[in-house]
Amino acid sequence: MNASFSLASGFHAVVIGGAGDIGSAIANLFCDLGATVSATGLNDADIARTQLKRRDNLRLAPLDITDDAAVASFANSHRRVDALINCAGILARDKEFEIATFMKVIDVNLTGTFRTCAAFRQALAKARGSIVNIASMNATLALPRIPAYCASKGGVVMLTKALALAWADEGIRVNAVAPGYIETSINAAGRADRAHHQRIADRTAFKRWGQPEDVAGAVAFLCMPASQYATGTVVAVDGGFLAG
């Protein structure tokens, strides 16, 4: 394999939210590529539901990314970190107009992303590693029922750009991937409406919804030497939804 499109020996990736649908696809791919992976879920129940394949090069741990002390302790338990992937996220349709829920979504999706980036900064600098934040198509295309989610993902995009500039001198690259409509548990209820499901599919160039694995490849690429000159960028993985 061309070294530009592979991971270095001993490569270690931390996938925050790795027990989720997109997170597990990312963690599985890194494992398949020969990396060791630390993946997190909110709690033990979250981890028990994961689609992650159990294997020797995978470690699973509960982590609440709204807890400063827990995040710091988790980060400090890692000696080597070549890649930090932030894909923990929540939304609450319609309830996000309540201030408490709005603040919770922001704390998880945006502040939580910054919290983990800051906690792993030293280890990433030592390895000259990469951060990939999972943003969303909704960072640029708003939906009326999820104002906090849209705002938080827009914030993730700008946080990505700001950290890319701030930490470049330390050798840390910071990029984001913005998925479009991906079939996950978070949108399972909406997909039960077959007419809605088909309307979304028809809007894409490929006439289908994306799968978590469609996102994973873009994330892995952004952690490889082949992307060494890419930082502060956002890669859309939306099947061409925003193209037309």
Side-chain angles (χ1 to χ4, degrees):
M1 181 184 294
N2 187 311
S4 293
F5 293 91
S6 60
L7 304 177
S9 176
F11 192 101
H12 184 75
V14 175
V15 185
I16 305 297
D21 296 323
I22 291 176
S24 63
I26 293 168
N28 279 331
L29 179 56
F30 274 108
C31 285
D32 289 344
L33 291 169
T36 58
V37 176
S38 296
T40 74
L42 175 59
N43 49 40
D44 290 335
D46 199 28
I47 290 172
R49 291 190 294 267
T50 187
Q51 299 298 309
L52 272 170
K53 304 172 186 175
R54 302 303 204 271
R55 38 186 149 184
D56 292 341
N57 55 338
L58 172 68
R59 171 197 172 198
L60 281 164
L63 180 66
D64 179 355
I65 61 170
T66 68
D67 184 329
D68 290 341
V71 170
S73 176
F74 181 70
N76 290 337
S77 71
H78 293 77
R79 290 188 176 182
R80 174 175 174 174
V81 180
D82 297 276
L84 171 66
I85 317 302
N86 284 303
C87 54
I90 60 171
L91 61 77
R93 290 178 186 87
D94 301 321
K95 294 182 180 180
E96 292 181 12
F97 290 91
E98 302 165 3
I99 191 64
T101 303
F102 187 97
M103 292 174 67
K104 176 67 173 180
V105 173
I106 295 293
D107 195 17
V108 172
N109 295 0
L110 178 55
T111 311
T113 294
F114 176 71
R115 192 176 280 116
T116 57
C117 287
F120 281 95
R121 177 182 176 181
Q122 184 175 358
L124 287 162
K126 184 177 180 180
R128 301 187 71 81
S130 295
I131 296 171
V132 181
N133 297 320
I134 301 302
S136 171
M137 179 177 70
N138 298 125
T140 54
L141 181 70
L143 292 175
R145 298 175 64 187
I146 49 172
Y149 183 83
C150 294
S152 68
K153 293 301 185 177
V156 166
V157 167
M158 293 310 297
L159 175 66
T160 297
K161 294 175 181 291
L163 294 184
L165 297 176
W167 294 351
D169 287 347
E170 299 175 39
I172 302 172
R173 293 190 299 113
V174 189
N175 293 293
V177 170
Y181 283 94
I182 309 296
E183 292 188 351
T184 66
S185 57
I186 205 170
N187 54 46
R191 285 187 285 112
D193 180 344
R194 299 308 300 173
H196 166 73
H197 183 275
Q198 193 59 49
R199 280 195 301 272
I200 298 301
D202 289 343
R203 170 72 184 269
T204 71
F206 298 130
K207 308 305 179 189
R208 68 173 179 86
W209 284 51
Q211 298 300 315
E213 291 74 17
D214 293 324
V215 179
V219 172
F221 169 73
L222 288 171
C223 298
M224 292 179 175
S227 64
Q228 64 184 340
Y229 199 54
T231 197
T233 193
V234 181
V235 177
V237 182
D238 63 3
F241 190 95
L242 294 179

